[in-house]
Amino acid sequence: MHRWEYHICNIHVVTFETLTWMLHSTFCLQRLSMADQQQQPSSLLSSRIDDGSGMENRWRDIERLLLRSGNLVGPGFEPGPELREALQNDFRVLVIGAGGLGCELLKDLALSGFGHIDVIDMDTIDVSNLNRQFLFRIVTQSFHLLIDFSHTLHYYLVSAAKHEQSVAGSHALRLGMQDVGKPKSEVAAARVMQRVKGVTVIPHFCKIEDKDIAFYKDFQIIVLGLDSLEARCYINSVICGFVEYEEDGSPDLSTIKPLVDGGTEGFKGHARVIIPGITPCFHCSLWLFPPQITFPLCTLAETPRSPAHCIEYAHLIQWGQDRIGEYFDADNPEHMKWIYDQALKRGEQFNISGITYSLTQGVVKNIVPAIASTNAVVAATCALETLKIATMCSTGMDIYMQYTGTEGIYLRTVPHDKDRNCIICSPGVPLEVDKSITLQKFIDTLLKDSRFKLKLSKPSVSYHGNNLYMQAPAVLEEMTRPNLQEQLLRLMGGETSDVLNINDRRLTGVLRVRVTFREGADTIDMDTAGT
Amino acid sequence: MALRSTKYDRQLRIWGEHGQSALERAHICVLNCGPTGSEALKNLVLGGIGSFTVVDASKVCASDLGNNYFVDWDSLGQSKAKTVSAFLHELNDAVDAKFVEESPEALLESNPAFFSQFTLVIATQMQENSLLKLDEICRQLNVMLIIARSYGLAGLLRISVEEHDVIESKPDNKVEDLRLHNPWPELQRYVDEFDIDTTDNVIHKHIPFAVLLIKITQDWKRAHNGKLPANVRELKVNFLTITARRRVEEDEDNYTEALKSAYVVLFPPEISTELHAILEDKLTEVNASSPDFWVMVAALKQYIAKEGQGEPPLDGAIPDMHSFTDYYIKLQKIYQARAEADVTAMVGHVSCILKQIGRDSSSIPRTTIKHFCKNTRHLRVLRCKTLRDEFSSKAGPELQRLLANEESSHPALYVLLRAVDHFAATYNRYPGAFDGELEEDVSRLKAIAVSILNDMGGGGVALPEDLISEVCRFGAGEIHTVASIVGGIASQEAIKLLTRQFTPVQGTFVYNAMSATSLVLNL
Ligand SMILES: [Zn+2]
């Protein structure tokens, strides 16, 4: 496939085949360059492949997919032992989140043959994680019995007492399982490495924003197991910001890092694949996320009608009035109890019943119900798609998978399109301006445009690597200031339609705006421009 | 106990204390503890079931280290059942762990009564012949059965129970039963207290939307010979315009809510087809041994015919409505009082029926009946065919129809996954077990699949060649991620069965991991 065909794909709906082919070729390139850099012998694991230890069968089941050619595979699939070795030695996958999805993802990726995984999470382990985050645990009873009935089956009940063994108890003591309060990423990494030999899991106990943006460049694929929309959007803009575009608007394949994202709530979940620059990014499809429920302040203050109204009143209004200067901490039991007591009082006052401590926690902390089974299904779907992207060993899912387990079981994929106005991943958000516009007027126009104004405060503008106007540092600002009164068209060398890069401290990545000049001197209504 | 409620907090918010107690009473048996079995069990152990027993005769070998998280290198050569049980037990020491080092197939032969101690059996990676036997035993012993199979990039899952009744099906879209088209006298009296054209703007914007809609509907009826809007168009064009015209200021949230909910005036909730079928079920002819569920359904039938005048009991729940606190609380109490009165009427019917069938007339407590009344619109009854019936099904024409569809991978995988067992019975190995015989296996498997389709009465339709060779390529591999998905779904269905909440899958669930899609077949 050549570049021009690819360009056609880019502006039409992209099939999985075309995009995976492109990515695969990217990976092949990256793999080759990695092999050049580090001429190291393969690790412990692949060295075991033919060492007569009987371990050559270890990856038998997944090798059916990796070593055998197939008909329903991704484009460019090249089966062979190199593929397994590449998974083991060359690929680096980053898992973001070591919670319900993250624990599952680490296990799933390690048992899919990925040898190098990093995991980043800022949280410590809490007791309420234990119903699903299976890499963490606590011992609540010092002894528990594991009973072996193998040889006494027919005397099942009678002989039970004689065959007690404390296998599980001894395991628990050996591993020292008091995990509550420890960093999730560190415990999760240690547990997976202990269980699955040959995998290296590097933990990062910090916020995603604490990492240098360059940190994320080290990975070929990034898998998200997050519960917050903000964190997803942050990573999305970082990864979309890496994509560089050719003059014709097509992305430079070597700059693309696929994102695989999972999310769950109760018996429902989703998994999706984002190929920045090619398939819709988060920002293109924010509508897929349900809006958060918020209550109008006047309802809370004047006309409460439900238990949640009473709780939010205590939380959002009363705390600030009664406990002046104290920072509310949802993890402080005394604080939570105070909110609960105040909510109860308010409920009594307004004749509203049904306020419980559990509901108080749920409302204040915005708790999303979570169970092990949904996490398992969603995470494994993400891990399998990650394997497919990395190896092309099978066809991929159509971008977005929805899972519903409440009424029967449904897994279905929902294709949707890129938003060409997306300020995060568009190769150039269209904007039409007068030929006569000056750079200063252009900047003013940006700041007024409804699509950008919330994302911009003091935009700097560059064109093909040339700084047209820089807000900082002061030296550059002074140097570029005279451009503000210049005609933009002239600064762009007379090109009547081209892409400008906008940088701003409010942006994580770069905003690309495709400016098209038109005749006429009238000012235009920016809210409809480009739509 | 405080620790328990914190540990299970995120799931107690879904299935409640009564759901959790049901899990804690459950004894689960898992047959074969490869990744599918151990992943299913993992989720159940984390969720806090009472106890589990793993049945598996095999020893941990190298290939287990590549697909099963609940074995490790130190356990190579040891009992897999023992290793997996010990590692699973670590996850939650409130759960009792047991294991049996014997093959499920042997156990079925030697000690069928073994299965009587369990609430539910999850059979993983088992072949057709043994499953038939297991299904018969479980049906006889009245033990619930879930069958789960991971096969390369495909999976199958099936529940086998004679009957499973659900009161709390907790559907995603619960219908709101507000009776706006037909208010009862107490509600009408409440509505009459309002002047919705009041000149007091503060009051105007705090009248609950239910009141607005009842009043406007009644005005409409007066002007239209007692008739409701005739159709959606009339509702949209005229009714909504009339409603919107009464709005005094743009920011009147109660009017926004009224406009949004106006359709329920024209389309109040009906008796769903599912509920209708339950009401017509022959088990509503109750006798002394009828389960409480069917006694309550029989009572419901009487209630609908008499007091309900065609409607089931009111559940009493109302959505939040923009209004003054006291307006809302009063309205809420009116709905609750009506719901309580309906419960009382139902209790009367239930005790009457109990007396007729020779049982203690108070043997079903009011709280149970109240719980039933809150959920009558969403009752579910699940009945599963026996496996024998499925395997001898003549559903070929239905399969033919599905296979002719553009997206035919699921029915094809269903046939192929049955064909691999027939293949194994003939050749003593699975297709694709050896690299050297892949091509021959493709035509062998195809011939078997075609004959299965013929036996079902669905001959003459082609299976996609690509899928046949992919299934051979899988070589019966149990891929960890696929096992985690199939096992995960098995544990989810187990939870639904054990808690008697939500709706379990009805039919054979076919999973295609290549496209991350599924289909449920009813054959
Ligand atoms: Zn986008």
Side-chain angles (χ1 to χ4, degrees), chain A residues 236 240 277 279-285 418-426:
Chain A
N236 182 60
C240 289
T279 70
C281 78
F282 274 112
H283 205 264
C284 288
S285 46
K418 256 183 94 169
D419 175 5
R420 71 187 189 110
N421 280 316
C422 178
I423 60 163
I424 305 293
C425 73
S426 172

Side-chain angles (χ1 to χ4, degrees), chain A residues 48 54-55 57-62 64-65 68-73 77 104 107-108 111-112 127-128 130-132 134-135 137-141 144-150 153-154 156 165 167-168 171-172 175 177 191-192 195-197 266-268 299 302-305 309 350-352 358-359 361-362 367-373 376-377 380-381 383-385 388 393-398 401 403-413, chain B residues 3 6-11 13-15 39 42-43 46-47 53 62-63 65-73 76 82 85-87 89-91 93-102 107 110-111 114 117 153 157 171-172 206 320-325 328-329 333 380 432-435 438 466-467 469-470 472-482 484-485 488-489 491-493 495-496 502-505 509 511 513-518 520:
Chain A
R48 278 183 180 271
M55 276 301 124
N57 269 337
R58 180 178 178 195
W59 299 103
R60 181 194 67 197
D61 290 24
I62 202 130
R64 303 269 199 237
L65 301 179
R68 290 176 172 179
S69 59
N71 293 325
L72 298 173
V73 295
F77 171 56
E104 291 279 343
K107 168 195 68 126
D108 293 340
L111 288 174
S112 296
V127 177
S128 66
L130 301 172
N131 80 322
R132 60 198 185 285
F134 69 96
L135 296 175
R137 55 203 71 132
I138 45 167
V139 178
T140 55
Q141 296 158 44
H144 241 267
L145 306 177
L146 186 78
I147 305 170
D148 180 356
F149 283 112
S150 313
L153 201 56
H154 300 283
Y156 194 78
Q165 293 180 8
V167 179
H171 265 289
L175 293 168
M177 286 163 185
R191 289 268 149 74
V192 171
R195 186 69 57 82
V196 185
K197 287 270 189 303
F267 283 97
K268 293 179 190 169
T299 295
E302 287 156 25
T303 58
R305 297 174 296 271
H309 292 159
F350 284 92
N351 210 2
I352 295 166
S358 165
L359 182 70
Q361 284 185 305
I367 291 176
V368 176
I371 50 176
S373 54
V377 171
T381 304
L384 182 57
E385 291 308 311
K388 290 177 190 175
C393 69
S394 180
T395 49
M397 73 178 190
D398 201 351
M401 187 278 292
Y403 176 73
T404 313
T406 42
E407 294 172 71
I409 313 158
Y410 295 94
L411 286 113
R412 62 186 144 219
T413 49
Chain B
L3 180 68
T6 314
K7 183 161 85 172
Y8 298 134
D9 179 80
R10 298 301 185 266
Q11 64 198 46
R13 291 173 191 276
I14 300 177
W15 50 68
E39 287 296 319
K42 176 201 79 192
N43 303 327
L46 290 167
T53 301
S63 63
L65 298 174
N67 71 5
N68 195 339
Y69 190 76
F70 296 97
V71 298
D72 68 355
W73 289 52
L76 271 173
K82 182 178 175 179
S85 303
F87 279 132
H89 187 246
E90 269 179 19
L91 304 183
D93 62 8
V95 178
D96 283 324
K98 298 170 191 167
F99 64 91
V100 175
E101 265 190 83
E102 205 169 324
L107 201 51
S110 66
N111 190 9
F114 168 82
Q117 61 186 305
L153 294 175
L157 185 125
D172 293 330
H206 283 92
D320 185 31
M321 300 181 195
H322 188 83
S323 65
F324 289 133
T325 304
Y328 180 80
I329 301 291
K333 293 228 160 92
R380 297 279 185 274
F434 304 113
D435 290 336
L438 268 170
D466 282 349
L467 269 187
S469 57
E470 279 301 289
C472 287
R473 176 179 173 227
F474 299 158
E478 205 175 346
I479 309 291
H480 179 79
T481 47
V482 176
S484 197
I485 291 163
I489 293 172
S491 61
Q492 166 190 288
E493 295 306 297
I495 285 166
K496 290 198 255 178
F502 302 95
T503 310
V505 66
F509 168 84
Y511 168 58
M514 296 165 266
S515 58
T517 57
S518 71
V520 176

Side-chain angles (χ1 to χ4, degrees), chain A residues 327-373:
Chain A
Y327 174 74
F328 175 75
D329 174 13
D331 291 323
N332 181 328
E334 189 273 318
H335 290 190
M336 193 59 85
K337 180 75 172 37
W338 189 90
I339 300 288
Y340 168 58
D341 290 339
Q342 300 308 313
L344 264 185
K345 274 187 210 155
R346 193 166 172 81
E348 262 164 45
Q349 186 192 335
F350 284 92
N351 210 2
I352 295 166
S353 58
I355 299 161
T356 63
Y357 187 71
S358 165
L359 182 70
T360 307
Q361 284 185 305
V363 171
V364 172
K365 294 170 122 178
N366 194 17
I367 291 176
V368 176
I371 50 176
S373 54

